[in-house]
Amino acid sequence: MAMLWKFMRVAKYSKIALSSKVRGIPTHSRHSSSKSVPSDFGATAPCSNTVELLGKSYPLDDYSNVTEKILSKVGKNLHNRKHHPLWLIKEQVKEHFYKHYLGRRGTPLFSVYDGLSPVVTVQQNFDSLLIPQNHASRRKEDNYYLNRDHMLRAHTSAHQWDLIHSGLDAFLAVGDVYRRDTIDSTHYPVFHQMEGVRLFSCHELFSSIKDGEGLQLFEQGHRTAHKQECHTMEAVRLVEFNLKQVLTKLMTHIFGDGLQVRWVDCYFPFTHPSFEMEINFQGEWMEVLGCGVMEQQLVNSAGAQDKIGWAFGLGLERLAMILYDIPDIRLFWSEDERFLKQFIGPHIWQKVKFQPLSRYPPLINDISFWLPSETYSQNDFYDLVRTIGGDLIEKVVLLDEFAHPKTKKVSHCYRIIYRHPERTLTQDEVHRIHQAIEESAVRELGVEGRF
């Protein structure tokens, strides 16, 4: 609870310091299957020992670290705002799956869920995915916890188990996800993901294989780099081939014929084997998604013991930035009509190349301080900077780290780049923000200033 109140005090201070504040896009969802929460009513500051979020009350404890700035983003649902670039990407992917993957009766094989609550339990976000208790991905430094039991989802994979348990074999889940991260033009503490899952029965997987009647999904074998111990090699190879084929077709459909794709082996704690897809766009290789064969223990525990499957996760901002040539991730939260009107067209496949509103000059200020003796997290500092500066902060870079040879004290020097995406900042307003960051870092993080 102490950490949450720290950031609430910072937020209160910042309202005095800032003469202008960038706010997120209000929710105007017209998607029939979505249930968006209006942003003005999405969350309230903590009252007593609780925080109100999406109509529910959550008690605070020693794990609570969500900030008021982050709470203000909950319920915006940019992926459901018609003509928003994230909505366009979502609709393009959805239409592709509806058109190319049909069930026995000619109806879409994949169902789509884009209105699931971003508040999940720790069990949903980690335990259901078999992520070990000591895994680095659980750290408070990397996640936004409401308390020890509830958090803002760090990935749409948090819904895999529940949707499979409900009886679904093929689905797409879309939503906003929350991670404490670095600050630059491609990282933001709130972004949007799409999760895809497909399960196969023995008949579905092998029916098109000549003489496939004797093939099996499962065996009592050994776990290797290429398969889980319970999977037959034939089953894994077919699932892997289907997954890569599906995603290659999707990327080609979005970016056009002639797209170069390559696969890089990787490891996720909840899929094995697993891969990252990279595409060659304008001569540069860029990662666009991660995917893999689903962990069978997860599938079994969700009630689909006789099936094997794959899962993928892609970032909507990453695709939109590449497809529309959007240079800064903060622009997705813009309220400026000059930005939003560029994406209004007669159909979702209309070619759009983002036209910069203007290139306003940056203002750069450095900040140096000695770290406290107790544990210090850079993400705590990044959160503090975002809480005070909001979307005026373009980038924060650790310029220098120095250890005093006698006292052994460690000093950090950060460069903070301020730039408003829609107007020119003045040095006076940036000075007030920077001074608020300095004072708050001393007060809230226990650093010793070298200002």
Side-chain angles (χ1 to χ4, degrees):
M1 184 177 71
M3 181 60 72
L4 182 86
W5 280 111
K6 280 184 181 181
F7 283 119
M8 290 305 176
R9 290 199 298 272
V10 173
K12 184 176 181 180
Y13 185 92
S14 70
K15 291 177 182 177
I16 300 174
L18 298 181
S19 61
S20 177
K21 184 177 179 182
V22 177
R23 299 184 63 190
I25 300 172
T27 301
H28 297 298
S29 173
R30 298 178 187 175
H31 193 284
S32 60
S33 65
S34 305
K35 294 183 179 180
S36 301
V37 178
S39 59
D40 292 341
F41 303 97
T44 61
C47 177
S48 183
N49 294 323
T50 63
V51 60
E52 301 290 332
L53 188 58
L54 301 179
K56 294 184 179 180
S57 178
Y58 298 91
L60 305 178
D61 59 26
D62 61 330
Y63 239 64
S64 306
N65 68 348
V66 68
T67 67
E68 185 179 31
K69 182 71 176 178
I70 296 301
L71 290 175
S72 71
K73 303 294 186 182
V74 178
K76 301 288 188 180
N77 296 323
L78 301 185
H79 61 289
N80 287 334
R81 181 176 184 182
K82 194 170 183 180
H83 299 303
H84 191 279
L86 297 180
W87 176 85
L88 289 174
I89 290 289
K90 182 198 73 172
E91 291 298 309
Q92 290 177 21
V93 175
K94 189 171 77 172
E95 182 181 278
H96 174 76
F97 274 88
Y98 278 0
K99 181 178 179 180
H100 291 88
Y101 303 98
L102 303 176
R104 296 178 182 176
R105 300 178 180 178
T107 56
L109 181 66
F110 284 81
S111 51
V112 178
Y113 298 86
D114 57 8
L116 300 171
S117 173
V119 180
V120 298
T121 64
V122 172
Q123 194 278 335
Q124 288 174 298
N125 200 80
F126 296 121
D127 298 334
S128 71
L129 298 171
L130 312 179
I131 297 177
Q133 289 289 334
N134 61 349
H135 197 270
S137 62
R138 292 177 178 256
R139 298 184 308 174
K140 287 176 62 178
E141 288 83 358
D142 298 323
N143 299 284
Y144 288 105
Y145 286 91
L146 296 175
N147 51 44
R148 283 187 173 270
D149 298 320
H150 294 86
M151 62 186 297
L152 297 176
R153 62 188 169 208
H155 41 218
T156 46
S157 304
H159 303 291
Q160 277 186 11
W161 192 95
D162 292 318
L163 293 173
I164 294 173
H165 188 65
S166 70
L168 296 175
D169 288 341
F171 58 83
L172 304 174
V174 194
D176 44 334
V177 298
Y178 299 77
R179 295 182 193 172
R180 305 179 75 195
D181 211 338
T182 55
I183 302 176
D184 57 36
S185 62
T186 61
H187 291 84
Y188 200 77
V190 189
F191 56 102
H192 298 75
Q193 275 190 343
M194 174 177 285
E195 190 83 9
V197 169
R198 173 78 193 277
L199 301 181
F200 302 88
S201 66
C202 186
H203 172 74
E204 289 171 326
L205 193 60
F206 297 127
S207 61
S208 60
I209 303 300
K210 184 179 180 180
D211 300 324
E213 295 82 0
L215 298 178
Q216 301 295 323
L217 296 179
F218 307 110
E219 68 173 10
Q220 294 300 318
H222 300 283
R223 192 179 188 94
T224 70
H226 306 289
K227 75 177 190 69
Q228 299 172 38
E229 59 269 31
C230 56
H231 293 158
T232 64
M233 185 58 74
E234 295 84 1
V236 171
R237 290 303 187 201
L238 283 173
V239 170
E240 180 184 324
F241 174 78
N242 181 268
L243 170 61
K244 291 182 176 180
Q245 188 180 49
V246 166
L247 293 175
T248 301
K249 287 182 178 178
L250 172 63
M251 290 299 119
T252 301
H253 198 64
I254 292 176
F255 294 104
D257 294 330
L259 182 73
Q260 291 180 280
V261 172
R262 71 182 182 188
W263 299 93
V264 180
D265 291 345
C266 65
Y267 175 73
F268 299 120
F270 45 89
T271 54
H272 183 84
S274 51
F275 318 91
E276 290 176 347
M277 173 193 264
E278 296 181 349
I279 66 171
N280 192 305
F281 192 78
Q282 298 179 347
E284 181 181 355
W285 286 100
M286 291 174 283
E287 177 197 338
V288 292
L289 58 84
C291 60
V293 178
M294 291 192 72
E295 194 71 31
Q296 195 60 37
Q297 185 180 340
L298 186 162
V299 177
N300 291 347
S301 68
Q305 297 89 338
D306 58 342
K307 297 179 180 179
I308 182 175
W310 52 248
F312 71 80
L314 59 85
L316 298 185
E317 277 88 349
R318 173 62 60 86
L319 294 183
M321 291 179 81
I322 296 173
L323 184 61
Y324 302 127
D325 199 19
I326 298 175
D328 194 320
I329 197 169
R330 293 176 300 162
L331 285 166
F332 290 105
W333 297 89
S334 175
E335 292 182 335
D336 195 319
E337 289 188 357
R338 292 175 298 168
F339 172 76
L340 299 173
K341 283 184 176 179
Q342 294 186 39
F343 303 94
I344 298 176
H347 54 80
I348 60 175
W349 297 102
Q350 176 175 312
K351 298 294 183 182
V352 177
K353 181 175 175 59
F354 171 69
Q355 300 299 318
L357 310 181
S358 181
R359 195 57 179 170
Y360 299 103
L363 292 176
I364 299 173
N365 286 264
D366 295 345
I367 179 172
S368 299
F369 47 75
W370 296 105
L371 306 188
S373 56
E374 60 268 20
T375 302
Y376 167 82
S377 167
Q378 284 185 228
N379 280 343
D380 285 343
F381 178 67
Y382 295 149
D383 253 2
L384 183 147
V385 172
R386 281 197 188 279
T387 298
I388 295 177
D391 288 348
L392 303 183
I393 308 297
E394 181 178 88
K395 190 174 185 177
V396 178
V397 181
L398 178 60
L399 282 184
D400 181 60
E401 184 172 353
F402 167 74
H404 195 283
K406 293 184 178 180
T407 65
K408 306 302 180 183
K409 294 176 64 175
V410 177
S411 171
H412 276 188
C413 176
Y414 294 91
R415 172 154 294 171
I416 304 178
I417 301 175
Y418 300 84
R419 192 199 309 260
H420 198 299
E422 298 161 5
R423 64 177 176 83
T424 299
L425 291 173
T426 66
Q427 186 61 58
D428 284 344
E429 63 181 313
V430 168
H431 175 72
R432 290 196 296 272
I433 299 168
H434 198 76
Q435 185 177 15
I437 292 173
E438 292 175 339
E439 295 173 359
S440 297
V442 172
R443 186 172 61 251
E444 309 301 337
L445 301 182
V447 304
E448 181 183 342
R450 303 179 66 188
F451 314 138

